[in-house]
Amino acid sequence: MKHHSTRDLQSLDEAHHLHPFTDHASLLPDQRRVITRGEGVWLWDSDGNRLLDGMAGLWCAQIGHGRREIADTVHAQMTELSYYNTFFKTTHEPVVHLSAMLAELMPSNINKVFFGTSGSDSNDTALRVVRTYWDLKGRPEKKTIISRQNAYHGSTVAAASLGGMEKMHAQSGMPIPGITHIAQPYWFGEADGMDPSEFGIQTARELEREIDRLGEDKVAAFIAEPIQGAGGVIIPPETYWPEIRRILSEREILFISDEVICGFGRTGSWFGCQTYGTEPDLITMAKGMSSGYLPIAGVGISDDVCEVLNAGGEFFHGYTYSGHPACCAAAIANLQIMRREKLVERVATDIGPYLKERWLALQSHPLIGEARMKGLLGALELVPDKTDLTKRFDEPGKVGEILRDISFKNGLVMRAVRDSLILAPPLTITHGEVDQLIDLVTATLEEGEAVLRKEKILA
Ligand code: PXG
């Protein structure tokens, strides 16, 4: 790769590169940070600044950055077979081995995987599978999919429609027909003082009400993330998933667990559905499957659904890069590292509890209304007045962004969602790095508080 100056790169970037989820009119050239290198939990930019990657790339770098073993495996695979498709009665070693490895990790009723390259296309696949399933069962009227407000399921038209992001829906005529959204289990934001257990049950029962409103004979599936990630790390009250499970067990509808963020150890089990004891018929996965080293994703489909689907003739669906050999090789090497280093167990019993203890202690800071964490997924709710947790900042999102920018400047990447700060570090983060991370968050909160007072956002 040719090395240009930061300035040149920024202006070329401005001239030719359209960024995802970006207001380009307000993104000035010199605000474009050029990331040059990654190793473990650390990133470097073109000005030589070192950053602790508290977001594991984009919720994906489970094993951390820059691991040579993955590069070597992919290199060997590309030298042997760089690409071949999995259509037309063909297969290859990496896709066979990866499928078998995933079958071992997924819940016992799920033993087959349909591959894609992104979480979005996996959710499109899931939508097509569940609708086709009911068609094949002779129930073509069962088409509607129930999702939740503020869910994120991706950016393709079907995935964004499944998602519950209002601003996304307002663009491009979404949601497409046949998708409805119920309330999310966001206790801090929406419980209005209700006891968390009661709120969990009440919110879960929205699913029951929605099924009855639509008519059970019209509903194909319910889709949900175990913990909503991009929506702001919404960790449901403990009563929520058992109540959803009760409702699903009484109703004839399929359940799609979107494990794009919660999969691959993030919550302390291989999949979030295992942490919460739900029993999905389909699980969609991406990100952590290859730790983001190469794009690969898939849908795990239960034995029951596969039986119907496979008896129904050709399923007219697939992507050029379904089961791409180099991507499969990267995923296999990633899963081998995760197993060897016991990263999932580590999240459940070692680094997860340690980070959680330190993270929850941040709750004593005057800016924090709630600190929450499950596995290695955390959020800090920023509030203007700790003595009244119903109060919010006047201009939603502004304070989150200010604090996020301060954090970045101080050397810690966190994500802002509304006025909360989000954390999802690599699963390899050490105790010492957690200590550094907490020091950086604390410094950011101190500095943030001073800035908010200066700008008269805080009294
Ligand atoms: N489902 C979930 C739960 C996700 O978090 C997708 C599906 C879509 O995956 P792809 O690979 O198509 O991006 C995601 C992706 C953010 C952010 O800002 C989150 C995601 C993607 C981009 C940004 O938090 N999640």
Side-chain angles (χ1 to χ4, degrees):
M1 205 75 68
K2 262 197 293 184
H3 287 281
H4 289 81
S5 70
T6 301
R7 249 229 189 139
D8 285 351
L9 289 168
Q10 287 169 328
S11 64
L12 281 170
D13 190 79
E14 197 211 11
H16 304 298
H17 179 200
L18 292 170
H19 295 241
F21 283 88
T22 293
D23 173 0
H24 285 88
S26 66
L27 178 64
L28 304 175
D30 67 357
Q31 292 173 330
R32 292 156 199 251
R33 195 185 277 265
V34 182
I35 301 295
T36 52
R37 197 162 77 80
E39 192 184 321
V41 300
W42 301 101
L43 298 167
W44 284 264
D45 70 15
S46 56
D47 295 327
N49 298 304
R50 188 177 79 146
L51 299 154
L52 204 169
D53 185 5
M55 282 305 296
L58 204 44
W59 325 76
C60 58
Q62 321 301 68
I63 62 168
H65 299 284
R67 310 247 335 212
R68 219 189 154 96
E69 191 175 333
I70 307 274
D72 289 345
T73 305
V74 170
H75 177 266
Q77 180 57 47
M78 285 198 163
T79 317
E80 184 81 21
L81 176 70
S82 52
Y83 172 74
Y84 198 69
N85 70 70
T86 51
F87 292 50
F88 321 131
K89 305 183 185 175
T90 60
T91 193
H92 52 70
E93 276 214 58
V95 78
V96 171
H97 291 315
L98 178 60
S99 306
M101 270 179 112
L102 290 169
E104 263 179 46
L105 305 176
M106 295 184 295
S108 58
N109 65 320
I110 301 183
N111 289 292
K112 287 185 161 62
V113 187
F114 191 104
F115 289 100
T117 50
S118 73
S120 300
D121 71 48
S122 297
N123 283 321
D124 278 48
T125 299
L127 179 143
R128 295 209 48 208
V129 168
V130 299
R131 287 186 173 171
T132 306
Y133 169 85
W134 288 115
D135 282 347
L136 291 168
K137 296 266 282 186
R139 311 280 300 278
E141 69 290 350
K142 276 174 89 66
K143 283 277 187 299
T144 301
I145 297 169
I146 301 174
S147 179
R148 301 180 302 177
Q149 291 151 15
N150 195 38
Y152 187 74
H153 295 300
S155 270
T156 54
V157 174
S161 297
L162 290 170
M165 299 288 177
E166 280 177 16
K167 288 183 181 163
M168 288 179 81
H169 289 172
Q171 295 175 334
S172 325
M174 297 183 290
I176 54 173
I179 295 171
T180 67
H181 299 83
I182 58 174
Q184 57 176 335
Y186 181 19
W187 180 79
F188 187 81
E190 297 178 0
D192 219 4
M194 197 188 287
D195 165 73
S197 302
E198 183 56 25
F199 178 72
I201 290 179
Q202 290 297 324
T203 317
R205 289 191 183 155
E206 289 234 352
L207 175 61
E208 205 160 43
R209 280 193 289 276
E210 185 68 354
I211 296 170
D212 288 336
R213 187 184 72 81
L214 293 161
E216 191 176 329
D217 57 340
K218 301 281 191 309
V219 180
F222 173 56
I223 182 169
E225 305 156 75
I227 293 170
Q228 288 147 264
V233 182
I234 312 294
I235 303 171
E238 288 299 325
T239 50
Y240 180 79
W241 282 115
E243 185 66 2
I244 293 279
R245 192 177 152 172
R246 177 198 58 83
I247 296 164
L248 289 170
S249 72
E250 293 171 5
R251 305 301 186 118
E252 211 191 357
I253 68 173
L254 298 173
F255 173 44
I256 306 164
S257 188
D258 181 336
E259 301 275 355
V260 170
I261 282 180
C262 292
F264 302 99
R266 181 58 63 195
T267 69
S269 312
W270 279 97
F271 294 96
C273 57
Q274 294 157 335
T275 297
Y276 285 111
T278 59
E279 294 177 328
D281 301 284
L282 292 91
I283 61 183
T284 55
M285 54 189 130
K287 296 187 186 278
M289 193 196 290
S290 67
S291 281
Y293 279 74
L294 283 176
I296 183 158
V299 188
I301 306 177
S302 73
D303 299 342
D304 288 349
V305 173
C306 273
E307 197 179 316
V308 172
L309 202 64
N310 291 348
E314 181 171 347
F315 180 40
F316 302 106
H317 183 71
Y319 310 105
T320 302
Y321 300 131
S322 287
H324 189 292
C327 303
C328 289
I332 291 168
N334 171 59
L335 296 178
Q336 282 168 341
I337 290 175
M338 289 190 68
R339 278 185 153 163
R340 193 170 68 226
E341 298 181 2
K342 299 197 177 357
L343 294 185
V344 182
E345 294 86 335
R346 204 173 169 265
V347 173
T349 61
D350 174 17
I351 203 68
Y354 183 64
L355 176 55
K356 181 172 181 173
E357 187 194 328
R358 301 228 47 200
W359 186 255
L360 297 196
L362 295 166
Q363 175 110 26
S364 61
H365 191 276
L367 270 179
I368 305 300
E370 183 186 69
R372 54 177 182 267
M373 179 157 282
K374 182 95 178 170
L376 287 186
L377 267 181
L380 296 173
E381 296 274 1
L382 304 164
V383 290
D385 177 1
K386 228 181 148 130
T387 63
D388 181 356
L389 292 181
T390 62
K391 285 198 187 142
R392 296 290 178 266
F393 292 105
D394 290 341
E395 199 182 320
K398 184 172 173 186
V399 168
E401 195 178 328
I402 292 173
L403 271 279
R404 194 269 319 269
D405 289 349
I406 293 172
S407 176
F408 230 106
K409 174 187 73 61
N410 287 344
L412 170 65
V413 183
M414 288 195 283
R415 168 116 160 58
V417 177
R418 296 176 300 278
D419 289 316
S420 64
L421 294 172
I422 304 299
L423 192 79
L427 312 190
T428 51
I429 190 168
T430 64
H431 288 243
E433 287 161 349
V434 163
D435 294 342
Q436 284 173 280
L437 184 152
I438 295 293
D439 287 348
L440 288 167
V441 180
T442 307
T444 296
L445 292 172
E446 295 304 316
E447 192 177 332
E449 196 184 349
V451 169
L452 298 183
R453 289 202 196 289
K454 200 166 147 219
E455 295 196 8
K456 309 244 177 306
I457 295 171
L458 273 182

